Amino acid sequence: MSNPIEIAPDEIIVVDELRKFFGAVEAVKGVNLRVKRGEVVVVIGPSGSGKSTVLRCINHLEVPTSGAVYLDGIHLEDRRTNINQVRTEVGMVFQQFNLFQHLTVLDNVIVAQRLVRKRSNEEARRIAMEQLTRVGIPEKANVLPRQLSGGQQQRVAIARALAMTPKVMLFDEPTSALDPEMIKEVLDVMLELAQDGMTMVVVTHEMGFARAAASRLVFMDQGRIVESGDPEEMYHKPQHQRTRDFFNKILTHG
Amino acid sequence: MAVRPEQEQSVMDIWIEGRQWERFPWWFVGILGAILFMIFKIVSDPQYTRAYNAILPGLRLTLYITVVAFLAAVAIGLIAGLGRISQNFVLRNLATLYIEFVRGVPTLVLISTVAFVIVPGVANLLGIQTPRDQTPRAIAALAVIYGAFLAEVFRAGIESIPPGQMEAARSLGMTHFQAMIYIILPQAIRNMLPALGNDLIAMLKDSSLVSVLAVREITQEARLYSGSTFRFSETYLILTLLYLIMTIILSLLLQWYQRRLRNE
């Protein structure tokens, strides 16, 4: 399959001229983004800037109005693309955790492995326990999600996504619904994941995480990427007035 | 519960002061009284005994029709409910057409319509013999009618599950169908249980309507017996209390089951 745009072999995510309308509102106004294997891209920006929409287009939960997304060279908007197969390679972590409420923690991590990856029960169980150990809560395997704290639920959600052995992990404001004292435990898991070389795209307001883990920082406003670059550089010397304003707003109380 | 009397107080005093008597289900005592009265009458009064013996053979058919028709209605309701929220406009409109059609016609009329128009029509279309026995027609009629009600129950049940559950399932690579079966429906059905239980009780009561098809369930037996003996008051008193016993038992079972689910 030949693609109309050039994609380097190490570029696992390519977002090309992405636009998205919700009714008459244009949420994303032409975004271009290229992510290399092993990169950790942190996307920041005020609410309504379109950053979550871009993220949701990367695993086709949102269908772009125009433009294209390529995952490992596969064009998502192509009718011939099996989107379910592509999604097994892309883990997603949501703001509201979205754990399956009727299943135990262990079954949450097992169910998609069995149905989608077609793994045997023993293998799925072994991988699930590995991932639960990785996020630090193997002892909660047999409880229901509602018996866990928000931070624990989010860590299970990360384990659930990791158990599919994805090539890319997407995080959609993973700590925004958490009580302050639980943010760190989730960020620690994410930081470790970044250090292990996982390719990650993270939408967040946590500047501390961005500076510690990001290989690139992207600032979005009003549906466009305003600037992107090295996190420290951007943090200390933002090139654009809007970036400067945003940093001032989120940092005055931090 | 933990009322500790400071001084000498009789149990009666505590009971009345704690207004426990207001919480006691007196209505149940009334129903129990009526049932016991009926049993006494059936045992002691030969007219009641005869009426009771005439109606009772229909009880198996009443229960059989209710259970089979309800299971069929659940299947129809699931399919029509999924159709109602489908992205496919043909399926969505077909499901809505069915539901609105059933809701717009009186139940008693619809039973005859299904039995005499739709069942022979479908049988013709499939090239099979229309069943001579009226019971399958009665079951088909009740299933079609309650399928439409249950479709709305299923739709509401599915819509009660936050969209994030479907998104999470799809993001893991599950198909829409897998997500529905393994993630959404198990949660939706839990939320639907009270409504399903109510519809089962309603179905039991509405099974009396298939007596217009001369299906010999308890209402039909009562009609036949009272018509030939003119013992209307005995017959219908027994019939009324028979339905009451069944619905009360069902309702208590459902309450017990729901309480068990909540405490899980």
Side-chain angles (χ1 to χ4, degrees):
Chain A
M1 268 199 294
S2 67
N3 290 314
I5 62 161
E6 287 286 319
I7 297 173
D10 64 338
E11 285 173 339
I12 192 159
I13 302 171
V14 176
V15 177
D16 182 43
E17 278 305 311
L18 181 75
R19 283 171 196 280
K20 176 70 184 178
F21 281 87
F22 291 107
V25 182
E26 191 174 17
V28 180
K29 304 169 182 171
V31 162
N32 293 288
L33 182 70
R34 283 164 186 260
V35 181
K36 294 195 176 85
R37 277 174 226 279
E39 256 195 307
V40 177
V41 174
V42 173
V43 185
I44 57 168
S47 56
S49 60
K51 52 196 192 309
S52 283
T53 307
V54 171
L55 195 74
R56 289 162 60 85
C57 283
I58 295 177
N59 72 349
H60 212 62
L61 278 182
E62 220 63 82
V63 182
T65 310
S66 72
V69 177
Y70 298 88
L71 248 160
D72 218 357
I74 299 167
H75 185 189
L76 297 197
E77 290 76 27
D78 192 321
R79 290 180 61 103
R80 288 161 301 182
T81 299
N82 179 351
I83 194 63
N84 296 317
Q85 208 177 341
V86 175
R87 280 181 179 144
T88 60
E89 310 295 339
V90 184
M92 177 114 177
V93 176
F94 299 86
Q95 185 177 351
Q96 298 295 338
F97 332 133
N98 296 347
L99 292 182
F100 306 134
Q101 295 298 317
H102 63 305
L103 299 177
T104 63
V105 164
L106 188 63
D107 286 337
N108 262 277
V109 187
I110 284 175
V111 63
Q113 293 190 65
R114 299 273 285 138
L115 291 173
V116 182
R117 283 281 193 216
K118 309 282 182 205
R119 288 177 183 149
S120 70
N121 193 24
E122 296 73 42
E123 192 187 6
R125 186 172 283 268
R126 181 179 56 75
I127 293 172
M129 285 315 294
E130 273 172 27
Q131 295 304 337
L132 286 174
T133 309
R134 187 176 186 180
V135 300
I137 35 177
E139 76 279 5
K140 298 287 186 187
N142 293 313
V143 307
L144 286 169
R146 61 166 174 273
Q147 294 165 278
L148 299 180
S149 72
Q152 290 171 328
Q153 288 196 46
Q154 193 61 298
R155 285 189 282 154
V156 174
I158 293 172
R160 179 176 70 178
L162 287 175
M164 300 295 285
T165 44
K167 294 176 181 158
V168 176
M169 286 284 286
L170 309 176
F171 294 83
D172 189 4
E173 303 203 23
T175 56
S176 298
L178 295 176
D179 290 337
E181 74 270 22
M182 293 166 187
I183 290 175
K184 189 177 178 300
E185 66 186 60
V186 172
L187 290 180
D188 284 347
V189 169
M190 290 168 61
L191 194 61
E192 210 167 292
L193 198 57
Q195 283 158 358
D196 287 350
M198 176 61 82
T199 309
M200 294 162 65
V201 181
V202 184
V203 170
T204 186
H205 294 294
E206 298 295 332
M207 273 314 293
F209 174 78
R211 293 174 66 187
S215 36
R216 185 150 42 112
L217 189 61
V218 173
F219 174 68
M220 277 188 74
D221 191 23
Q222 295 176 3
R224 290 195 177 85
I225 292 179
V226 177
E227 65 175 289
S228 72
D230 178 76
E232 285 304 319
E233 230 164 81
M234 231 174 107
Y235 181 71
H236 292 294
K237 285 189 297 227
Q239 298 296 309
H240 289 260
Q241 186 57 43
R242 275 187 288 175
T243 319
R244 224 166 291 148
D245 291 345
F246 180 74
F247 279 143
N248 284 335
K249 263 180 217 154
I250 63 167
L251 296 177
T252 38
H253 296 288
Chain B
M1 290 290 129
V3 182
R4 268 292 185 79
E6 295 286 306
Q7 285 136 15
E8 288 281 311
Q9 242 179 338
S10 75
V11 174
M12 201 63 193
D13 286 337
I14 300 165
W15 202 56
I16 289 169
E17 269 175 27
R19 286 159 94 71
Q20 293 291 328
W21 55 278
E22 277 191 2
R23 276 180 235 158
F24 190 79
W26 294 106
W27 62 272
F28 193 72
V29 176
I31 286 176
L32 216 59
I35 291 169
L36 289 174
F37 174 72
M38 187 196 76
I39 292 170
F40 169 73
K41 275 295 211 184
I42 290 170
V43 172
S44 62
D45 187 330
Q47 290 301 350
Y48 280 86
T49 315
R50 246 171 265 145
Y52 174 76
N53 287 335
I55 296 174
L56 201 65
L59 192 61
R60 264 184 64 173
L61 201 51
T62 290
L63 294 174
Y64 173 72
I65 288 173
T66 304
V67 170
V68 176
F70 190 74
L71 292 177
V74 168
I76 295 173
L78 172 61
I79 293 166
L82 288 173
R84 190 99 157 78
I85 51 176
S86 168
Q87 303 284 322
N88 183 317
F89 85 100
V90 177
L91 290 180
R92 196 171 58 239
N93 276 289
L94 279 176
T96 311
L97 172 74
Y98 159 60
I99 292 162
E100 293 301 327
F101 182 87
V102 170
R103 285 211 293 201
V105 182
T107 309
L108 189 58
V109 175
L110 206 53
I111 284 175
S112 297
T113 315
V114 173
F116 299 125
V117 184
I118 295 176
V119 169
V122 171
N124 238 336
L125 210 68
L126 298 174
I128 53 171
Q129 196 89 41
T130 310
R132 294 284 285 281
D133 184 9
Q134 293 288 352
T135 308
R137 299 194 197 203
I139 288 171
L142 284 174
V144 165
I145 293 164
Y146 272 78
F149 296 139
L150 290 181
E152 290 296 85
V153 173
F154 270 101
R155 183 186 59 78
I158 290 167
E159 284 177 349
S160 74
I161 304 304
Q165 295 284 307
M166 178 57 92
E167 284 187 352
R170 295 307 302 276
S171 81
L172 291 163
M174 289 189 210
T175 63
H176 184 86
F177 183 75
Q178 286 175 328
M180 217 25 142
I181 299 292
Y182 293 98
I183 306 301
I184 306 298
L185 280 175
Q187 299 183 63
I189 287 171
R190 259 174 169 242
N191 293 352
M192 286 164 50
L193 280 176
L196 281 179
N198 285 339
D199 275 338
L200 176 60
I201 291 172
M203 170 85 97
L204 175 68
K205 292 189 290 179
D206 277 354
S207 72
S208 64
L209 295 173
V210 303
S211 59
V212 296
L213 303 178
V215 172
R216 297 185 66 162
E217 40 72 68
I218 51 175
T219 304
Q220 177 65 2
E221 295 286 13
R223 282 177 10 152
L224 291 175
Y225 179 76
S226 60
S228 62
T229 60
F230 295 99
R231 290 287 172 186
F232 288 99
S233 65
E234 293 90 340
T235 313
Y236 281 100
L237 184 63
I238 289 172
L239 182 64
T240 302
L241 288 169
L242 269 181
Y243 277 115
L244 200 54
I245 291 172
M246 290 191 286
T247 52
I248 291 280
I249 290 173
L250 260 183
S251 153
L252 289 176
L253 277 175
L254 288 167
Q255 278 178 33
W256 167 80
Y257 188 66
Q258 277 170 41
R259 211 170 306 139
R260 218 191 67 168
L261 270 186
R262 255 202 308 277
N263 293 341
E264 230 173 49

